[in-house]
Amino acid sequence: MAGSLSDLRIVETCGPIGHYAGRLLADLGADVIKVEPPRGDPARRYAPFLPGVEAPENGLQFILLNANKRSVTLDLERPEERALFLRLIASADVLLDSWQPHESARLGLTEAALLAAKPDLVRTSITGWGLSGPHADWAYADIVAQAASGVMTLAGFPDGPPEQIADHQGHRAASIDAAAGTIAALLHHDATGEGQRVEVSAQEALSMAQETAMMFADINGIDRQRTGGTGGLAIRIPGIGLYAAADGWVYMLAAGTAGSGFQGVLATMDTLGYQSDLREEPWATFILESMNRALLLQAMADPEQALALARKLEHIESVVVDCFTRYPKRDLYEIGQQHRLLIGMVSTPEDISTSPQLNARDWFVEIDDPGRGRRLRYPGPPWQLRGTPATLRRPAPLLGEHTAEVLTEIGVAAGEARAFAGRRA
Amino acid sequence: MTTSGDAREQVAARPRALDGVKVLDLTWFGAGPIGMRTIANLGADVIRVETQKRPDGLRIAPPRPVGNASLNVGGYFNNFNAEKRSITIDLTTERGHELGIELVKWADLFMTNMTGRAVRQIGMTWEALHDANPGIIAMYQPMQGMTGPHAEFAGFGAVLSTICGVNYLSGFAANDPVGVGTNYPDYVVNPIHAVIALLAALRHKRRTGEGQLIDMSQLESSVAAFSGPVFAWDNARVEHERIGNRVPYAAPHGAFRCADTAARPDRWLVLACLDDAQWERCATACGHPEWSVDPRFATLAERKRNEDALEATLAAWAEAQDGAETVARLQAAAVPAALVLSASEVLADEHLGARGYFVYLDHAEAGRRAYDGSGFQLSKTPVELRRAAPLIGEHTWEIASDVLGLSPDEIGTLIAEQVLY
């Protein structure tokens, strides 16, 4: 089955901010040609590394996000190579770039120059700050978008620093929005033949991920703070939050309104074979009647009830803590879920790699990477399109691996293309 | 994006990329509705089916004006449902289900993020949809996908965040993996991944006439956006270190506390130096050019080796600095830096303001409120919010009449019988 974008050629000249955008579009079938400077994309040299492989072919982050692409090296600082670049653009449907305004001006690769080469180009610009506004030329790094979008202030503990979200979520959010915007622009191009600019700012792309914080500020004039995972609750309610397991952690939301609530915790303990007094009186009745977050918070507001209630909750909590620390996280998770408890295990990379669910769905894909002498295991795509599935067709390119091939495709004589690529190597 | 009345009428005439596309939206809570909002802002007619019997939890959730219990004023729901139309139908009734299937026949795209169990209860399985409308594109987005041993597992974003790795991967080793303060995958990762797949499927449908089933596991979508550490584990047995605000390939890279002011306690900035040249400029901009020639800090390899000392040096210096002034100085030297902004500071940010990111829309009950703009802009077919979020059932009468073709008498009866409810 062909992918939904199999007829398209996309040129990608992005730094790390746009790698995932190109990868998503390539997974949907597009021929994505990565144009790199002669020294290579900087992410080729980012740790961690694939052992036994030489730089610049060993950067794992690069290998992950650039599979399914071809690589051409062009020195865009040189006029004759810029001309080749514009010929490549003329042959393409889409350009993904991450040039800030001062960079495209310096290179002479302004939108006017690009459109002269390809009047109906879909040009997708992916930058930290967008192409307009007073910060358009500000320097960008992933963590900077996380700070300026309002996302970072929400993560961490009250007495510690704001925390970034792992694995480059500024880059990721910008790339995801860029891929969506690019396909929207392609739909318009299919219908009318007209190209256009798609513009993404990482600061804006991440802003939506403030959850309710923007609306709290707008409606109530309150800035949400980082709470270290307590959600601002002053008391610990048994069954809500993070619990240590024998080999890690689980998180659960019992005593709320959805799922089986605290009864699900008791049922899980029964299945595990853990004996406690919570099935006996007075606990059984108390749990049945009172272990509901809304009721508990209401009761705790009354100082006369609060102290007695706090003692009861403390006992229940101690039983849960004692039970959970005895069992593996995966057992607590899977048995809890069988009892319709809203519970998840805190997965490490190894847990994800060995997940029974992901593996039952054949989500991971293996592919030979002859250039690196390896068979590599890749995480799968974000969706299963049953009619036009995403595919992993080729490993991440070696630097300039396809220079001669692609130059030939745009009409450079084969001998000349080989000679050009040879000089580069 | 513009919001003044006259300007809005002018842009309302401009074509959008999904003009004429018809969408049946059976999503709720966070991840589903945001994707459908984006589709609406691209120009599609998105009909959201709700029921008074069991309103979307986001209609009940805060934030909301103090003391106002209306289902129509919650900021959480309204931000993420702008420009949709809302019809109330109790799909668990026989007649309600028939009307739901009529909407399936009308639609080009369908999406739900309900569990498989809930989908079966309302009779909106892929088989039922495909029978009614063989060309439909239908996306199901349960937490763990439509197949596999955990297909029926239940949970909200907070549960998903633990399972998909966000919580373990983020934060410092000294702290428990409590998460990132939000149900992060719900807001961009899952909804906009969903938009990509729906638009790709729409392109295929326009070229071939074929619809398709999209099985979107929120778990797979989330892991795909946090794939670096699992890829490194699988192929190089790299143990993930919980390194907080650091990255393996740059230093300094972190958050530093600046001088508090009465107006703004808890003032932090972030900065990142990805190479030696940036670090040299950073040291100079900080007024300490000697840092970049200090042998402990002279090269990236040395800075990584001495990262604790490097951060302590920067932290001690930053404490006495004004945050905004320091960020301006670093940025003037082309060093990536920014203030850690609070939500109210993001709303008031001069750069976002100049770009018109936030949109202010009038709403019959909630008044004039801020809405997030689109995460991507299109120059010729704008992505824009042309209406605020719907009141629950606001468009029941018009959809029942214009789309379902019911007479006023029939509509009145169905409302009274709590089918259109």
Side-chain angles (χ1 to χ4, degrees):
Chain A
M1 279 179 279
S4 52
L5 307 182
S6 299
D7 56 316
L8 298 172
R9 168 174 285 179
I10 295 177
V11 174
E12 178 199 303
T13 61
C14 295
I17 191 173
H19 289 182
Y20 187 51
R23 176 70 206 280
L24 285 164
L25 297 168
D27 287 2
L28 291 168
D31 172 22
V32 176
I33 298 172
K34 197 174 171 70
V35 174
E36 302 182 63
R39 192 173 177 273
D41 186 292
R44 287 184 178 272
R45 293 176 170 81
Y46 287 172
F49 298 112
L50 192 60
V53 177
E54 297 286 307
E57 305 300 351
N58 57 351
L60 282 162
Q61 188 185 317
F62 181 90
I63 296 169
L64 169 64
L65 295 180
N66 292 284
N68 261 349
K69 303 177 190 175
R70 298 194 284 169
S71 165
V72 170
T73 55
L74 286 176
D75 185 352
L76 299 178
E77 307 286 341
R78 298 162 61 102
E80 63 277 18
E81 300 197 25
R82 269 203 305 276
L84 284 173
F85 177 75
L86 289 171
R87 275 170 77 177
L88 182 59
I89 293 297
S91 78
D93 302 284
V94 175
L95 169 67
L96 304 178
D97 75 79
S98 60
W99 297 314
Q100 293 187 279
H102 69 277
E103 292 171 293
S104 36
R106 183 174 58 76
L107 293 170
L109 292 169
T110 57
E111 203 153 279
L114 297 166
L115 293 181
K118 171 75 176 171
D120 62 337
L121 183 69
V122 170
R123 183 228 172 167
T124 300
S125 159
I126 317 171
T127 63
W129 308 99
L131 296 178
S132 67
H135 301 168
D137 277 315
W138 267 24
Y140 168 75
D142 179 80
I143 193 172
V144 159
Q146 298 207 29
S149 65
V151 165
M152 197 167 163
T153 195
L154 302 171
F157 290 78
D159 55 354
E163 294 175 10
Q164 68 177 352
I165 309 176
D167 207 11
H168 309 96
Q169 295 307 309
H171 297 348
R172 294 288 193 149
S175 271
I176 292 169
D177 267 307
T182 300
I183 305 176
L186 285 166
L187 288 169
H188 181 69
H189 184 275
D190 288 344
T192 64
E194 186 176 55
Q196 61 181 315
R197 179 177 63 246
V198 180
E199 182 183 348
V200 175
S201 130
Q203 181 190 22
E204 291 172 0
L206 263 184
S207 175
M208 186 81 97
Q210 292 179 80
E211 198 171 70
T212 56
M214 182 280 280
M215 295 81 92
F216 266 107
D218 180 52
I219 296 172
N220 299 138
I222 293 168
D223 273 327
R224 271 181 58 182
Q225 309 290 323
R226 52 192 188 278
T227 65
T230 65
L233 278 188
I235 55 161
R236 173 84 183 195
I237 297 178
I240 300 179
L242 192 73
Y243 285 86
D247 56 349
W249 296 267
V250 294
Y251 173 90
M252 64 177 161
L253 266 175
T257 49
S260 53
F262 205 83
Q263 292 304 320
V265 179
L266 295 181
T268 302
M269 289 177 171
D270 291 344
T271 303
L272 288 164
Y274 180 84
Q275 307 280 324
S276 81
D277 57 4
L278 298 187
R279 285 291 195 193
E280 295 159 19
E281 296 303 342
W283 303 107
T285 301
F286 175 79
I287 288 169
L288 200 61
E289 291 175 354
S290 308
M291 284 300 287
N292 167 292
R293 177 163 74 173
L295 288 178
L296 287 170
L297 290 177
Q298 208 177 354
M300 294 298 282
D302 175 357
E304 287 185 19
Q305 287 188 55
L307 191 61
L309 197 54
R311 284 210 193 92
K312 285 184 185 156
L313 294 180
E314 206 174 304
H315 173 71
I316 295 171
E317 173 75 356
S318 72
V319 172
V320 178
V321 167
D322 181 72
C323 171
F324 277 39
T325 49
R326 293 165 190 268
Y327 297 96
K329 59 193 169 188
R330 200 182 283 285
D331 289 359
L332 293 164
Y333 165 48
E334 293 186 354
I335 292 170
Q337 281 281 353
Q338 281 156 22
H339 291 293
R340 302 208 61 75
L341 183 58
L342 302 180
I343 185 170
M345 62 188 263
V346 177
S347 302
T348 64
E350 184 179 1
D351 295 329
I352 288 166
S353 172
T354 57
S355 157
Q357 174 69 2
L358 293 173
N359 287 297
R361 284 166 60 84
D362 294 324
W363 187 62
F364 293 93
V365 187
E366 288 193 7
I367 185 170
D368 282 324
D369 187 338
R372 296 177 181 84
R374 288 285 205 293
R375 188 168 175 80
L376 296 175
R377 186 176 196 244
Y378 276 82
W383 2 247
Q384 298 191 10
L385 289 114
R386 295 284 171 83
T388 53
T391 49
L392 184 58
R393 304 178 298 283
R394 55 166 85 232
L398 304 178
L399 178 60
E401 182 179 348
H402 307 94
T403 303
E405 174 182 309
V406 170
L407 290 183
T408 311
E409 284 170 19
I410 60 169
V412 176
E416 210 179 306
R418 274 199 305 275
F420 178 90
R423 283 197 299 278
R424 194 43 42 83
Chain B
M1 252 176 258
T2 180
T3 55
S4 76
D6 289 350
R8 225 174 339 141
E9 275 165 34
Q10 283 168 20
V11 297
R14 292 169 72 183
R16 289 193 288 181
L18 297 187
D19 281 341
V21 173
K22 295 172 287 193
V23 182
L24 177 55
D25 176 3
L26 259 65
T27 62
W28 63 346
F29 290 95
I34 295 172
M36 292 296 95
R37 194 199 93 163
T38 301
I39 297 278
N41 302 155
L42 280 163
D45 180 7
V46 177
I47 294 184
R48 170 99 194 251
V49 176
E50 306 183 72
T51 173
Q52 301 270 4
K53 225 171 86 180
R54 198 177 174 198
D56 187 340
L58 292 201
R59 284 199 177 273
I60 296 155
R64 48 181 54 251
V66 177
N68 186 336
S70 165
L71 292 172
N72 298 318
V73 298
Y76 208 169
F77 180 92
N78 285 353
N79 187 24
F80 297 151
N81 289 278
E83 215 188 333
K84 298 177 184 177
R85 296 201 284 168
S86 167
I87 181 173
T88 48
I89 308 178
D90 181 356
L91 294 169
T92 62
T93 63
E94 196 182 330
R95 183 70 182 124
H97 181 257
E98 283 170 15
L99 295 172
I101 292 294
E102 287 305 308
L103 289 175
V104 169
K105 292 178 185 163
W106 163 87
D108 302 303
L109 303 179
F110 165 95
M111 180 176 173
T112 184
N113 61 335
M114 294 180 186
T115 61
R117 198 160 76 156
V119 166
R120 289 189 296 276
Q121 274 167 7
I122 58 170
M124 289 287 164
T125 59
W126 165 244
E127 292 72 24
L129 266 57
H130 191 255
D131 277 352
N133 179 354
I136 199 163
I137 294 164
M139 172 179 281
Y140 293 85
Q141 195 195 50
M143 187 167 77
Q144 304 215 21
M146 298 172 75
T147 61
H150 300 175
E152 300 290 329
F153 279 17
F156 288 98
V159 173
L160 175 68
S161 297
T162 68
I163 303 169
C164 75
V166 180
N167 292 9
Y168 183 79
L169 299 176
S170 303
F172 292 88
N175 298 327
D176 285 349
V178 296
V180 297
T182 62
N183 303 330
Y184 173 74
D186 275 359
Y187 302 103
V188 180
V189 170
N190 288 329
I192 312 299
H193 269 155
V195 170
I196 294 170
L198 288 166
L199 295 178
L202 187 62
R203 184 165 194 265
H204 181 70
K205 180 179 161 86
R206 285 187 173 170
R207 293 155 67 86
T208 64
E210 294 167 11
Q212 61 179 300
L213 167 63
I214 304 170
D215 173 0
M216 182 168 169
S217 153
Q218 294 181 40
L219 174 63
E220 289 166 7
S221 160
S222 302
V223 177
F226 288 84
S227 51
V230 67
F231 186 70
W233 165 259
D234 265 342
N235 297 294
R237 288 293 179 262
V238 175
E239 292 274 4
H240 178 76
E241 294 180 67
R242 303 187 60 235
I243 52 177
N245 290 327
R246 297 180 180 179
V247 293
Y249 54 84
H253 189 285
F256 301 93
R257 186 163 192 167
C258 302
D260 285 352
T261 64
R264 185 54 162 97
D266 197 40
R267 177 87 280 169
W268 294 75
L269 64 76
V270 297
L271 63 86
C273 295
L274 301 175
D275 55 39
D276 292 343
Q278 272 182 346
W279 165 237
E280 201 180 315
R281 296 199 303 273
C282 173
T284 305
C286 293
H288 289 278
E290 74 280 7
W291 288 345
S292 63
V293 290
D294 183 324
R296 294 174 302 162
F297 308 145
T299 64
L300 174 60
E302 286 301 323
R303 289 194 297 283
K304 288 308 285 183
R305 217 182 329 275
N306 300 298
E307 201 161 2
D308 288 344
L310 175 69
E311 288 179 356
T313 303
L314 280 164
W317 169 81
E319 245 174 28
Q321 309 300 314
D322 177 79
E325 194 267 328
T326 307
V327 165
R329 229 175 335 138
L330 290 166
Q331 280 289 356
V335 176
L339 293 175
V340 177
L341 298 182
S342 68
S344 57
E345 290 171 329
V346 174
L347 273 169
D349 184 59
E350 61 157 349
H351 179 68
L352 292 175
R355 291 175 51 76
Y357 171 71
F358 289 106
V359 184
Y360 290 81
L361 297 172
D362 294 314
H363 180 282
E365 284 192 35
R368 193 168 183 77
R369 297 266 68 108
Y371 287 74
D372 273 286
S374 170
F376 57 89
Q377 289 298 325
L378 302 180
S379 60
K380 290 185 183 156
T381 55
V383 195
E384 51 195 12
L385 287 71
R386 292 187 183 171
R387 282 195 308 268
L391 311 176
I392 188 165
E394 179 177 347
H395 306 95
T396 297
W397 194 279
E398 88 184 30
I399 293 167
S401 167
D402 301 349
V403 178
L404 297 172
L406 302 175
S407 71
D409 280 355
E410 286 174 302
I411 297 171
T413 307
L414 290 169
I415 290 174
E417 288 173 349
Q418 298 202 344
V419 171
L420 292 175
Y421 179 75

